[in-house]
Amino acid sequence: MRSHPHHLRGFCLSGEFEENAAVRLREMCVKQIKCQPDKYSELYLGKSIVEYCEWLMLDTSWGGEIEVLLLAELCQVQISVVQIETLSILTYSPSDA
Protein backbone atom coordinates (compact mmCIF):
# COMPACT_ATOMS: atom_id res chain seq x y z
CA MET A 1 0.00 0.00 0.00
CA ARG A 2 1.29 3.45 -0.87
CA SER A 3 0.37 6.82 0.55
CA HIS A 4 0.14 9.71 -1.90
CA PRO A 5 0.36 13.00 0.00
CA HIS A 6 -1.63 15.94 -1.34
CA HIS A 7 1.49 17.94 -2.13
CA LEU A 8 2.02 15.88 -5.28
CA ARG A 9 1.51 17.88 -8.45
CA GLY A 10 -1.85 17.50 -10.19
CA PHE A 11 -4.27 14.61 -10.12
CA CYS A 12 -3.46 12.64 -6.96
CA LEU A 13 -4.14 9.29 -8.60
CA SER A 14 -1.47 10.00 -11.17
CA GLY A 15 1.29 11.10 -8.83
CA GLU A 16 3.26 7.92 -9.45
CA PHE A 17 2.74 7.94 -13.21
CA GLU A 18 4.66 9.84 -15.83
CA GLU A 19 3.17 13.16 -16.88
CA ASN A 20 1.76 11.83 -20.17
CA ALA A 21 -0.08 9.07 -18.35
CA ALA A 22 -1.66 11.64 -16.04
CA VAL A 23 -2.86 13.62 -19.05
CA ARG A 24 -4.31 10.46 -20.62
CA LEU A 25 -6.19 9.62 -17.40
CA ARG A 26 -7.61 13.13 -17.28
CA GLU A 27 -8.61 12.92 -20.95
CA MET A 28 -10.35 9.59 -20.35
CA CYS A 29 -12.41 11.12 -17.55
CA VAL A 30 -13.25 14.23 -19.58
CA LYS A 31 -14.37 12.13 -22.54
CA GLN A 32 -16.71 10.06 -20.37
CA ILE A 33 -18.16 13.13 -18.68
CA LYS A 34 -18.85 14.80 -22.03
CA CYS A 35 -20.40 11.61 -23.45
CA GLN A 36 -22.89 11.32 -20.57
CA PRO A 37 -24.29 14.81 -19.96
CA ASP A 38 -27.45 13.44 -18.31
CA LYS A 39 -25.41 11.53 -15.73
CA TYR A 40 -22.80 14.25 -15.20
CA SER A 41 -25.07 17.26 -14.92
CA GLU A 42 -24.17 20.69 -13.58
CA LEU A 43 -25.92 19.74 -10.35
CA TYR A 44 -23.76 16.58 -9.99
CA LEU A 45 -20.49 18.27 -10.98
CA GLY A 46 -21.05 21.55 -9.17
CA LYS A 47 -20.33 23.55 -12.33
CA SER A 48 -21.07 23.29 -16.04
CA ILE A 49 -19.64 20.32 -17.93
CA VAL A 50 -17.41 22.65 -19.94
CA GLU A 51 -16.09 24.39 -16.81
CA TYR A 52 -15.58 21.09 -14.97
CA CYS A 53 -13.71 19.49 -17.87
CA GLU A 54 -11.50 22.56 -18.32
CA TRP A 55 -10.76 22.50 -14.58
CA LEU A 56 -10.00 18.77 -14.60
CA MET A 57 -7.47 19.17 -17.43
CA LEU A 58 -5.39 21.65 -15.39
CA ASP A 59 -2.34 19.95 -13.90
CA THR A 60 -2.97 21.89 -10.69
CA SER A 61 -6.46 20.39 -10.22
CA TRP A 62 -7.17 17.35 -8.12
CA GLY A 63 -9.62 14.69 -9.14
CA GLY A 64 -11.90 13.19 -6.55
CA GLU A 65 -14.63 10.64 -6.11
CA ILE A 66 -16.14 11.33 -9.55
CA GLU A 67 -12.84 10.50 -11.25
CA VAL A 68 -12.19 7.43 -9.06
CA LEU A 69 -15.60 6.06 -10.07
CA LEU A 70 -14.95 6.84 -13.74
CA LEU A 71 -11.54 5.16 -13.71
CA ALA A 72 -12.88 2.09 -11.90
CA GLU A 73 -15.54 1.77 -14.60
CA LEU A 74 -13.25 2.50 -17.55
CA CYS A 75 -10.44 0.21 -16.38
CA GLN A 76 -12.81 -2.43 -14.99
CA VAL A 77 -10.92 -2.58 -11.70
CA GLN A 78 -11.75 -2.11 -8.06
CA ILE A 79 -10.05 0.92 -6.53
CA SER A 80 -9.64 1.33 -2.77
CA VAL A 81 -8.85 4.72 -1.30
CA VAL A 82 -7.50 4.98 2.23
CA GLN A 83 -8.28 8.21 4.02
CA ILE A 84 -5.16 8.77 6.07
CA GLU A 85 -6.79 11.04 8.66
CA THR A 86 -9.53 8.55 9.59
CA LEU A 87 -7.98 5.30 8.30
CA SER A 88 -11.27 4.55 6.62
CA ILE A 89 -11.17 2.64 3.33
CA LEU A 90 -13.51 3.55 0.51
CA THR A 91 -13.82 0.97 -2.24
CA TYR A 92 -15.07 1.74 -5.72
CA SER A 93 -16.02 -1.00 -8.15
CA PRO A 94 -16.94 -0.77 -11.83
CA SER A 95 -20.53 -1.61 -10.92
CA ASP A 96 -20.71 1.47 -8.63
CA ALA A 97 -20.33 3.88 -11.54
Side-chain angles (χ1 to χ4, degrees):
M1 185 179 321
R2 295 171 87 169
S3 169
H4 297 282
H6 289 288
H7 67 270
L8 292 173
R9 185 170 156 238
F11 195 97
C12 61
L13 289 174
S14 60
E16 66 186 62
F17 296 105
E18 65 182 66
E19 182 122 359
N20 290 335
V23 171
R24 285 193 302 272
L25 290 173
R26 290 172 186 274
E27 288 171 345
M28 288 169 55
C29 291
V30 165
K31 181 179 177 183
Q32 284 301 110
I33 290 169
K34 287 181 176 179
C35 287
Q36 300 178 62
D38 292 336
K39 182 175 183 179
Y40 299 104
S41 65
E42 185 171 342
L43 180 63
Y44 185 74
L45 298 173
K47 53 181 81 175
S48 75
I49 290 175
V50 170
E51 289 174 309
Y52 190 87
C53 291
E54 287 173 355
W55 169 83
L56 187 57
M57 288 306 297
L58 298 173
D59 65 1
T60 56
S61 299
W62 290 73
E65 189 168 45
I66 293 169
E67 291 72 33
V68 173
L69 283 165
L70 277 167
L71 292 172
E73 179 183 24
L74 289 168
C75 299
Q76 290 296 295
V77 296
Q78 179 176 300
I79 299 173
S80 294
V81 177
V82 179
Q83 294 183 337
I84 300 299
E85 297 84 18
T86 63
L87 297 180
S88 62
I89 300 172
L90 304 171
T91 302
Y92 303 90
S93 298
S95 61
D96 295 338

